[in-house]
Amino acid sequence: MDYKKLIIRGISYSQTQSGAYALLLEHEETAVKLPVVIGNFEAQSISLGLEKDIHPPRPLTHDLFSKFIKSSGYTLNSVIIYQIIDGVFFSNLNFKCLATEEELILDARTSDAVAMAVRFEAPIYTTEQVLSEAGILLELDIPPVVKEAFSDLESESQSGSLRNLSSENLQNLLETAVKDEDFDAALEIQQEIKRRNKKID
């Protein structure tokens, strides 16, 4: 299968889910962004994994698991985000035994998989289908009028009334949500846009 390599672009606080964060992954070749909603602990663990100079006084769960894997003679070769169902991403951890080259594949939450990937400096991949279903292409040149429209439309989005909005308003709402780094809302809006496009096709 032709996998698409992702890089970590950052982590931002979720504006619509209390205590949640949005992990932003990006496909470098197309600049398509993949927002993944994660919890506070996972966000902290990924951030600490990226900051190699910061060491917590006691090992975190992902640090402990990483040390166990290395002590067992394995390494993490890659992480693959292979599926999305009802907004939930599914990932595999692909391990390899250094002595025998035997491969071991474990199912994992995407947040845990990324936290492990940063500790092993392992590449993160996804499929064309996942990028197509959940990816967002950022539009940075957003006209000022969109910001005004967003304040009127935001309450409708939060109340689950996306289906009542025009296609133009949905697109404006999507662009503003992305600009404000509210990626979980952006994903919900984009799914409604894609649902309409499928009906047109």
Side-chain angles (χ1 to χ4, degrees):
M1 183 176 288
D2 182 23
Y3 290 115
K4 310 298 180 183
K5 188 174 181 179
L6 302 172
I7 59 172
I8 298 173
R9 273 299 179 204
I11 300 173
S12 63
Y13 188 74
S14 172
Q15 298 180 29
T16 59
Q17 294 190 34
S18 177
Y21 290 78
L23 167 67
L24 189 63
L25 304 172
E26 179 185 273
H27 181 227
E28 277 189 305
E29 293 179 14
T30 60
V32 171
K33 310 292 192 295
L34 200 65
V36 182
V37 178
I38 61 176
N40 176 59
F41 171 76
E42 292 78 13
Q44 181 187 50
S45 183
I46 292 170
S47 296
L48 287 173
L50 289 169
E51 297 293 334
K52 304 299 182 184
D53 296 331
I54 301 177
H55 303 285
R58 302 297 297 149
L60 300 177
T61 303
H62 297 115
D63 297 323
L64 181 63
F65 188 47
S66 297
K67 289 182 180 178
F68 174 76
I69 291 299
K70 292 174 183 176
S71 299
S72 301
Y74 280 79
T75 189
L76 180 61
N77 263 7
S78 64
V79 163
I80 297 178
I81 305 171
Y82 65 90
Q83 189 172 252
I84 179 172
I85 300 177
D86 297 330
V88 178
F89 292 92
F90 291 77
S91 297
N92 281 335
L93 293 165
N94 297 319
F95 296 100
K96 178 177 279 189
C97 178
L98 296 174
T100 65
E101 295 195 351
E102 177 187 359
E103 294 184 350
L104 173 66
I105 300 175
L106 297 180
D107 181 41
R109 296 187 307 166
T110 298
S111 55
D112 291 327
V114 173
M116 292 295 294
V118 297
R119 284 162 172 77
F120 282 89
E121 297 184 357
I124 303 169
Y125 298 100
T126 192
T127 65
E128 183 69 46
Q129 183 177 357
V130 170
L131 276 180
S132 175
E133 289 184 22
I136 296 173
L137 184 60
L138 298 187
E139 297 290 346
L140 298 179
D141 297 323
I142 301 174
V145 69
V146 174
K147 194 67 178 179
E148 299 171 14
F150 183 69
S151 59
D152 299 330
L153 299 174
E154 190 175 29
S155 58
E156 293 188 60
S157 171
Q158 292 176 345
S159 65
S161 302
L162 292 177
R163 297 189 179 194
N164 297 330
L165 299 177
S166 70
S167 296
E168 182 181 357
N169 283 342
L170 274 178
Q171 190 62 43
N172 289 342
L173 190 60
L174 172 62
E175 292 173 352
T176 305
V178 169
K179 184 181 180 184
D180 291 343
E181 297 185 350
D182 189 0
F183 298 113
D184 43 343
L187 179 59
E188 182 182 350
I189 297 164
Q190 180 157 289
Q191 286 175 341
E192 172 61 19
I193 292 174
K194 288 183 176 181
R195 184 188 68 80
R196 294 186 186 187
N197 290 340
K198 283 183 180 178
K199 281 191 173 183
I200 293 173
D201 293 342

